[in-house]
Amino acid sequence: MSIVYLRMKKSVELPKYQEVTLKNIAHISIDSSYKEELDNTTIYHITKKDKNIVVIDSFLIIDYLNKKFPELELQVIGPAQCIIRIHEKKKPLSFLLVVIVWLILFIGTAMTIMNFHYDVSMQEVQQKLHFLLTGQENEFPLWIQVPYSIGLGIGMLLFFNHWFSKKFNEEPSPLEIEINNYQQNLDDYLIQNENMLDDERNNR
C-alpha cells in the first residue's frame, strides 16, 4: 500500500466557478503513478452560494479520497484546513480616485505630524537648542529645522522599508507584520466559525 502525504495550503485565491482540484489546495507527496491522478482529482466546485470564502477541511478530503482510492494510505501534515478566497476580475483604478485617496492620506499624515510637534513644543525645543549651541536667539533656526524635516522623511521610509514598490532589504516592515497578524487572526476566525457551523449542521 502506497502512502500519500498531504500538506494543506493555508489559503489560496481562486476565480469564481472554478473546479477545485487537490493540487489547488494541497501539496502532495507520493512515490507512485498516482501523483498526476491525485493532483487532478476534483474536490469541490465553487458556486454562487459560496460568495467569497470557502473553507475546505482535510477530514472531508481524506474521507473522499479513501472512497475513491482505497488502496492508498493518506496522511495529513501541517494545517488541517485550507481557506479559499474567491476573487473576481478587478476593475482598473480610477485616476481621480487615486488622487483623492492620496490627498486624504497626505493631509491626514501632515496634520498628525504637525499636531504631535505642537503637543511636544518642538519649535520651542529647537529654538532653545539653537540658543544653547550659538548663544543667540532665533525664532526660525532653519539649520536645525530643515535637516530635521529631511531626516523625519528618511526615517519614515526606513521604518516602513518601502520606496513605492521597492524594498530596501528583505525584512518585513512593521506594517506588513501587522497585516500578517491581522490575516492570521482572520483565518483562525474563519476556520473556527466554519467548524461551529459544521457542528450545528450535524446536530440538526
Side-chain angles (χ1 to χ4, degrees), residues 55-67:
V55 179
I56 304 292
D57 194 281
S58 59
F59 178 80
L60 300 177
I61 295 176
I62 292 175
D63 188 50
Y64 174 73
L65 294 179
N66 278 335
K67 293 175 182 176

Side-chain angles (χ1 to χ4, degrees), residues 6 25 29 77 80 87 91 98 146 152 156 158 175 178 191 195:
L6 295 178
I25 59 176
S29 177
I77 56 177
H87 64 84
K91 297 179 181 179
V98 172
V146 172
L152 184 64
M156 292 295 288
L158 294 176
L175 183 60
E178 287 302 317
I191 291 170
N195 290 335

Side-chain angles (χ1 to χ4, degrees), residues 38-62:
L38 282 167
D39 277 341
N40 297 317
T41 300
T42 300
I43 302 298
Y44 190 79
H45 188 83
I46 298 172
T47 64
K48 284 184 179 180
K49 295 180 180 179
D50 294 317
K51 296 182 180 179
N52 62 338
I53 294 288
V54 178
V55 179
I56 304 292
D57 194 281
S58 59
F59 178 80
L60 300 177
I61 295 176
I62 292 175

